[in-house]
Amino acid sequence: MRHDWIRRSAFALALLGVACNVTPPKAAETASDTAPPSVLFGDLYMDAAKARIHPDTKTLADAVPLRAPAEIVADYDRQKPMSEMALRNFFDANFRVDPPVETVAPPEGLSLRDHITALWPLLTRTTTEAEPGSSRLPLPEPYVVPGGRFTEIYYWDSYFTMLGLGAEQASLRRSMVDDFAYMIRTYGHVPNGSRTYYLSRSQPPFFYLMVSLLSPDDPAKAWAEYLPELKAEHAFWMAGEMDAAPGLPSLRVVKLADGSVLNRYYDGRDVPRDESYGEDLAVAVGTDRPAPEVYRDLRAAAESGWDFSSRWFVDGKSLKTIHTTDVVPPDLNGLLYGLEKAIAAGCVVADDPACAIDYAARADKRRAAINALLWNAETGLYDDLDWKTGKLLSHVTAAGLYPLFTGAAEEAKAAEVAAATRAHLLEQGGIVTSTINTGQQWDAPNGWAPLQWVSVTGLCRYGDSALAGEIAKRWVSTVSRVYDDTGRLLEKYNVMDAVPGGGGEYALQDGFGWTNGVTIALMDAMTEQGNGAAFTCPAMTGP
């Protein structure tokens, strides 16, 4: 195969707490190259975050030092600016704050499709080198960022973004896949995003589906090409498998009472997130739990991509009751089933029958566990399981459609999921994230582009093209209406009212990578006929 690598730096091992070994290229050879800002700048960073000298703490996390970090820290320790103004002045004198990604207002009359096409160059970045002391991680190839405050590549965002890249952008799609492959080889996994402060966690494992887009007519050919990276990603998620026991998870692996092995979201660190330092401190102070436990659960929710949602709250209402690491989710396990199937298919092409048998058996066991343990007959959806209590949590969310999306669902159960989706999740603007309004962004009334795609293609996979088409039409209508009103493509939408979305830790962002990608892909699935649009299910590229 293309790569020969099996080592990892001691720093990465300590940071991630995993046993897989991968050799990092020179870009990440020393701890100082990958230390997050809160470690690199110590008290200065923590004091600035607590004082909220910038309203969005991510601004601090992304700031670029103007001289050597050690010099800045030494001067800070010597001067000890006490007032908020003095602290702000010290920070501004020693760091550069780069602007967010700006998108231009479209010319009057520009179609939605043409505006999205015009946005791709504005969202494309190349960062082959990182400035000393910066939190940015260098990447070898160009990539697309989400937009707004998100000026780096993000893991699961990128799959949905890539759906909208046309034939003329095939090289960019390949470049993005190669960037993720590089990160797997360098860090042993795909980080949440290309920042040092994201290295202790990943995001939903969509890499195998990105790879499939390189060869949609024969995805197994592409999986064989990237087989070492696919196996390495699987090893990351399964690290600790041999140590896990019922009631005693190990890292991201949970062994249940019947011996089934499934996965949860996790994070290798148990301190406040650099990008949300003050916010995390406030949550921990408001609980009676050990602060490190709270921080780990906040970080695990960030790994899920659903940061934050009632899915992760014990009481279903308050962030202060977050317990993400107690939850075995259907979305993550559905994706890992797909990854195992993809590796098995890639091994067949690579003429490695032992590998193919091994991963196919893993996939079969995971599928059986998903259908036995994560199926909720009362809600008619795949559900989150609390491994501590052994009970399903009765969450009615779009995460329940993931087993359809990846092919892990049983046929009869898929029909029930379709009925529950139509009854509880279908709104005038598309699929709503959950049925509960907590003020968090991954709850009602918001809908998100990735969940529309998961729902549409999952339902198509099991034969319900009518419901899939209805979701697609409602989503495209919502995006089109808001574009006509505002000239913007947004991160999320209120699908109950078909207006811009809201909630969460930061202001609504525009740009926006995954909205652009999914909207183009769904528009391509619809053709105008008579007074309306006819829908044809998109081609599946997964196992």
Side-chain angles (χ1 to χ4, degrees):
M1 304 307 284
R2 298 173 303 121
H3 309 295
D4 180 18
W5 44 272
I6 315 278
R7 297 261 178 253
R8 177 185 291 165
S9 71
F11 173 74
L13 277 169
L15 181 64
L16 299 172
V18 299
C20 304
N21 294 320
V22 177
T23 298
K26 292 182 179 179
E29 279 187 347
T30 66
S32 62
D33 289 332
T34 49
S38 60
V39 173
L40 202 57
F41 296 101
D43 289 345
L44 165 58
Y45 191 86
M46 290 179 267
D47 291 346
K50 291 174 186 176
R52 301 288 181 95
I53 66 169
H54 284 280
D56 185 347
T57 310
K58 193 176 187 299
T59 304
L60 302 180
D62 296 350
V64 179
L66 300 177
R67 54 197 177 109
E71 295 177 9
I72 296 175
V73 170
D75 281 352
Y76 183 75
D77 290 342
R78 184 165 50 251
Q79 297 178 27
K80 282 295 183 186
M82 300 301 293
S83 70
E84 181 178 330
M85 180 62 70
L87 180 56
R88 178 186 292 273
N89 289 341
F90 183 90
F91 188 88
D92 291 345
N94 287 281
F95 293 85
R96 184 186 80 236
V97 174
D98 293 331
V101 179
E102 291 190 17
T103 55
V104 297
E108 186 174 349
L110 188 70
S111 72
L112 173 60
R113 181 184 291 273
D114 288 343
H115 181 52
I116 291 175
T117 299
L119 287 175
W120 292 132
L122 301 178
L123 297 173
T124 301
R125 296 287 184 274
T126 302
T127 52
T128 54
E129 295 183 1
E131 296 178 82
S134 166
S135 64
R136 190 177 295 280
L137 298 173
L139 293 171
E141 302 293 340
Y143 56 88
V144 179
V145 303
R149 74 200 284 265
F150 303 109
T151 64
E152 52 282 314
I153 198 171
Y154 280 80
Y155 184 5
W156 76 313
D157 292 61
S158 294
Y159 167 68
F160 301 99
T161 298
M162 290 164 63
L163 294 171
L165 298 177
E168 69 280 6
Q169 293 146 328
S171 62
L172 180 57
R173 190 182 300 112
R174 166 75 70 168
S175 292
M176 293 173 71
V177 169
D178 285 342
D179 281 332
F180 287 114
Y182 165 85
M183 287 193 280
I184 292 173
R185 296 194 304 273
T186 305
Y187 308 112
H189 69 294
V190 180
N192 184 151
S194 55
R195 293 280 182 181
T196 58
Y197 53 82
Y198 288 144
L199 278 170
S200 60
R201 63 177 181 265
S202 187
Q203 272 195 327
F206 276 89
F207 179 66
Y208 81 94
L209 286 165
M210 296 182 203
V211 172
S212 73
L213 295 176
L214 302 181
S215 179
D217 295 332
D218 186 9
K221 178 181 177 182
W223 292 326
E225 182 182 356
Y226 288 87
L227 202 52
E229 291 89 350
L230 293 169
K231 288 182 179 180
E233 174 163 61
H234 187 267
F236 166 79
W237 286 98
M238 299 309 297
E241 181 178 9
M242 301 307 295
D243 299 323
L248 188 65
S250 181
L251 302 175
R252 292 165 177 80
V253 179
V254 179
K255 181 172 283 189
L256 298 164
D258 69 348
S260 298
V261 175
L262 291 171
N263 288 79
R264 63 175 178 172
Y265 293 111
Y266 189 75
D267 190 294
R269 304 184 73 210
D270 59 0
V271 295
R273 293 168 295 155
D274 283 52
E275 73 279 16
S276 301
Y277 204 94
E279 291 88 340
D280 287 1
L281 287 174
V283 173
V285 167
T287 74
D288 57 3
R289 296 169 57 201
E293 288 184 8
V294 178
Y295 299 143
R296 180 98 67 189
D297 282 323
L298 291 167
R299 285 170 164 271
E303 181 170 83
S304 80
W306 290 51
D307 45 341
F308 293 101
S309 169
S310 56
R311 290 180 68 189
W312 316 127
F313 306 159
V314 172
D315 65 0
K317 301 174 183 178
S318 171
L319 186 60
K320 295 183 185 300
T321 68
I322 191 165
H323 71 139
T324 320
T325 56
D326 294 345
V327 178
V328 178
D331 43 355
L332 173 59
N333 285 285
L335 288 167
L336 288 172
Y337 166 79
L339 173 59
E340 288 161 349
K341 293 283 286 185
I343 294 173
C347 289
V348 170
V349 173
D351 195 23
D352 187 346
C355 167
I357 291 170
D358 179 23
Y359 282 94
R362 281 181 168 275
D364 289 344
K365 289 179 181 178
R366 189 181 297 273
R367 184 174 189 263
I370 288 170
N371 284 284
L373 302 173
L374 304 186
W375 172 250
N376 191 325
E378 294 184 5
T379 64
L381 288 165
Y382 290 91
D383 197 3
D384 295 311
L385 172 73
D386 185 325
W387 63 263
K388 285 185 174 179
T389 65
K391 295 180 180 179
L392 293 168
L393 295 172
S394 296
H395 291 158
V396 177
T397 76
L401 285 99
Y402 267 81
L404 279 67
F405 174 64
T406 64
E410 294 174 352
E411 291 285 346
K413 290 181 171 63
E416 292 190 53
V417 170
T421 298
R422 185 179 287 278
H424 303 297
L425 297 174
L426 181 63
E427 298 289 347
Q428 65 166 311
I431 290 294
V432 70
T433 306
S434 79
T435 57
I436 300 174
N437 189 336
T438 60
Q440 299 295 338
Q441 61 177 352
W442 287 88
D443 276 317
N446 286 341
W448 295 75
L451 300 182
Q452 313 306 312
W453 183 258
V454 164
S455 301
V456 167
T457 54
L459 290 163
C460 278
R461 185 168 199 152
Y462 285 83
D464 197 336
S465 59
L467 179 53
E470 189 61 36
I471 295 167
K473 293 172 189 176
R474 294 187 188 194
W475 174 256
V476 171
S477 176
T478 298
V479 174
S480 298
R481 182 182 303 113
V482 173
Y483 169 70
D484 289 341
D485 291 343
T486 68
R488 301 166 68 199
L489 275 296
L490 302 176
E491 174 190 25
K492 54 186 177 275
Y493 294 80
N494 173 340
V495 296
M496 301 182 85
D497 300 316
V499 297
E505 293 183 312
Y506 54 84
L508 180 64
Q509 305 293 301
D510 70 335
F512 195 86
W514 64 14
T515 299
N516 304 349
V518 168
T519 299
I520 286 290
L522 293 180
M523 290 172 68
D524 287 346
M526 293 186 287
T527 56
E528 292 297 327
Q529 288 189 359
N531 295 325
F535 173 80
T536 301
C537 282
M540 296 299 298
T541 59

